[in-house]
Amino acid sequence: MKKILVIGSLNLDIVVRVDHMPEVGETIVSKDMEMIPGGKGANQAYAVGKLGNSVALLGAVGKDAYGDILMNSLCQAGADVSKIAKRKENTGLALITVNGEGDNSIVVVAGANSTVDEAYIDENEDAIKDADIIIFQLEIPIETVLYAAQKAKKFGKTVILDPAPVPEEFPEELYSYIDVIKPNETELRMLIHENKDIIDLIQATKTLREKGIKDVIVTLGERGVFINSEEAGIVEIPALKVNAVDTTAAGDSFTAALAVMLSQGKDIRSAAEFANKVASIVVTRRGAQSSIPTKSEVYTKLG
């Protein structure tokens, strides 16, 4: 089993549930509020650990109670948090609104995540050298992601990017350091600068493949998963029919599960099929890290 390193964000998710998303200028009443450990980096590290794989996380929290909640949650999943920095800035927050259909909208307050810089990456270069697969997202400074991804490729590591949120200026150089990219359909559209509501998935993913990426995996929600792969070619994986109540962390758990299967020598199609199963369980449960299953749960429920 190969070692996985996640470099990314840690946020405390403050989740409110509503009948519908508020319009501009509208005030509505929430049914309830929860504080749940989250952040795309932390979610992915938690999921890797929960699925039984060795994982470490590089990131930053504040010296506050929110940071303690995040660290404790990761430890419960077996993640190595020894290199997470503690900063004077507040721990990052994500303000999440979830409607009656389980769809969400998210506002992120970066906080300590904004301090994950090149100097911090240099301080923890050994963690990069020690890992086999490195996962990135884009809730820490994009300059840091570019720098760390370049370093990861220099050391011969497999690099997976979950390109969320897509920045206004996505550095073209970053593509040359990525082995696997996993956007959803909206993120894919933003990456290729396409304004149409409906896009040609083959052509869109080909555009990213031409930038040097081996595997492009697009998650399509209830329409399943689309893959354009150097190894597997074009593959479509149907969605599993489930009763979705909350899509929070579905994408993060997919990315983590994909990395876990790749770390165990599975091919890209098999890895994506397993990841699809994991995400289909996550959307049937509320919360971020609290919704992520163990590997045995996945096989018990979905085979």
Side-chain angles (χ1 to χ4, degrees), residues 183-186 188-189 192 194 197-209 216-220 223-228 234-236:
N184 61 28
E185 193 168 13
T186 298
L188 175 63
R189 188 181 295 113
I192 64 170
E194 177 57 75
D197 290 335
I198 298 176
I199 60 175
D200 182 332
L201 289 172
I202 293 178
Q203 185 57 49
T205 53
K206 180 183 177 183
T207 298
L208 293 185
R209 287 283 317 283
V216 181
I217 302 174
V218 187
T219 51
L220 303 169
R223 288 161 44 222
V225 180
F226 183 90
I227 301 173
N228 189 336
I234 301 296
V235 177
E236 296 183 59

Side-chain angles (χ1 to χ4, degrees), residues 219 242 246 249-251 253-254 257 274-284 293:
T219 51
V242 297
D246 186 350
S253 62
F254 185 102
F274 177 79
N276 191 41
K277 291 178 180 179
V278 171
S280 73
I281 293 174
V282 169
V283 300
T284 66

Side-chain angles (χ1 to χ4, degrees), residues 12-17 30-37 94-96 98 246 285-288 290:
L12 188 74
D13 293 349
I14 299 178
V15 182
V16 294
R17 304 185 188 282
S30 172
K31 296 178 180 179
D32 58 62
M33 185 274 283
E34 295 178 271
M35 292 193 296
I36 303 170
L95 310 175
I96 304 174
V98 182
D246 186 350
R285 303 171 175 177
R286 289 186 173 187
S290 57

